[in-house]
Amino acid sequence: MSRRLPIVHNVVEHDAAGYRMESLDLEFSNGERRRYERLLGRPRAAGPGAVIVVPMLDEDTVLLVREYAAGVHRYELGLVKGRIDAGESAVEAADRELKEEAGYGARSLTVLRSLSLAPTYMIHQAYLVLARDLYPERLPGDEPEELEVVPWKLDRLHELILREDFSEGRTIAALFIAREWLRHGEPAPPPAEPADPTGGSEIAP
């Protein structure tokens, strides 16, 4: 069922614990009026979102990285990822992050799609980038220690997703999306543009 987006009557922005928050005064199509809050990001976030990189060492092997995850206080296996800096495209950010975190550059970088993170209250978008034809090259990054690079066969994803130290939802989704794209060779839909501050909703005068 298709519904008209809620009317935005008012938007109030404020800082909360180092992040930007918006409070939205919304009116739904049935006349119900509610206030929603959403997280925009850090006040000085420079770029339009982030990238998640699937680096293919060969046609069957993806490169994972193991790094410290403060939220769960353990080392986690995952994909190369990071913010898009000011003036960068998703492809440029993916190439830079790959060199910083894994010590590889890529001659072929393809944006497959964008992924959201908790879309009910966050604007955040991460662009899934498939990196192929890799070559060794390292750039200095901001990590406190060099990350361990772990090759993993795509046909062993069923083992990977059951590991306790592999738990991030976006990374799991990214690997399965990339694997299916590589298997079927179908063109991916173009990624969505970064969300505008109103989320595309109608704003009441």
Side-chain angles (χ1 to χ4, degrees):
M1 179 173 62
S2 178
R3 287 180 174 171
R4 179 172 59 86
L5 285 172
I7 295 171
V8 181
H9 285 280
N10 190 36
V11 179
V12 177
E13 185 176 321
H14 57 93
D15 291 342
Y19 288 84
R20 289 183 303 146
M21 297 284 295
E22 271 187 351
S23 180
L24 307 176
D25 180 5
L26 302 175
E27 182 182 343
F28 288 82
S29 57
N30 61 358
E32 192 74 21
R33 192 91 169 248
R34 296 289 174 87
R35 186 168 295 277
Y36 277 58
E37 289 197 336
R38 65 182 181 183
L39 182 66
L40 300 180
R42 294 184 184 276
R44 296 181 182 177
V51 290
I52 300 175
V53 188
V54 180
M56 299 301 300
L57 185 62
D58 55 45
E59 62 181 13
D60 301 313
T61 310
V62 64
L63 295 181
L64 306 175
V65 291
R66 180 178 280 115
E67 71 178 311
Y68 175 69
V72 290
H73 188 53
R74 69 180 179 220
Y75 281 88
E76 280 264 318
L77 277 173
L79 290 169
V80 168
K81 63 180 79 69
R83 287 190 299 181
I84 300 173
D85 287 341
E88 279 187 324
S89 66
V91 165
E92 291 167 338
D95 192 47
R96 173 181 54 76
E97 290 288 349
L98 184 58
K99 292 173 182 176
E100 291 177 358
E101 295 192 2
Y104 284 90
R107 297 183 182 90
S108 172
L109 292 139
T110 306
V111 179
L112 299 187
R113 61 160 299 154
S114 63
L115 298 171
S116 62
L117 177 65
T120 52
Y121 66 90
M122 290 180 69
I123 279 181
H124 178 80
Q125 296 283 318
Y127 292 87
L128 170 53
V129 181
L130 181 67
R132 291 174 288 180
D133 196 3
L134 305 185
Y135 59 92
E137 183 176 341
R138 183 171 293 280
L139 289 176
D142 56 4
E143 289 77 20
E145 58 186 0
E146 187 172 312
L147 304 187
E148 180 185 357
V149 178
V150 180
W152 197 279
K153 294 294 185 182
L154 286 180
D155 62 6
R156 293 178 54 218
L157 286 187
H158 62 288
E159 298 175 20
L160 184 63
I161 61 175
L162 296 178
R163 290 177 60 115
E164 185 178 347
D165 62 348
F166 182 77
S167 65
E168 202 224 359
R170 291 178 307 167
T171 295
I172 295 171
L175 284 174
F176 278 98
I177 291 168
R179 188 181 72 173
E180 293 306 299
W181 192 90
L182 287 167
R183 282 179 174 176
H184 299 289
E186 298 176 1
E193 292 297 319
D196 64 50
T198 66
S201 301
E202 177 184 352
I203 300 181

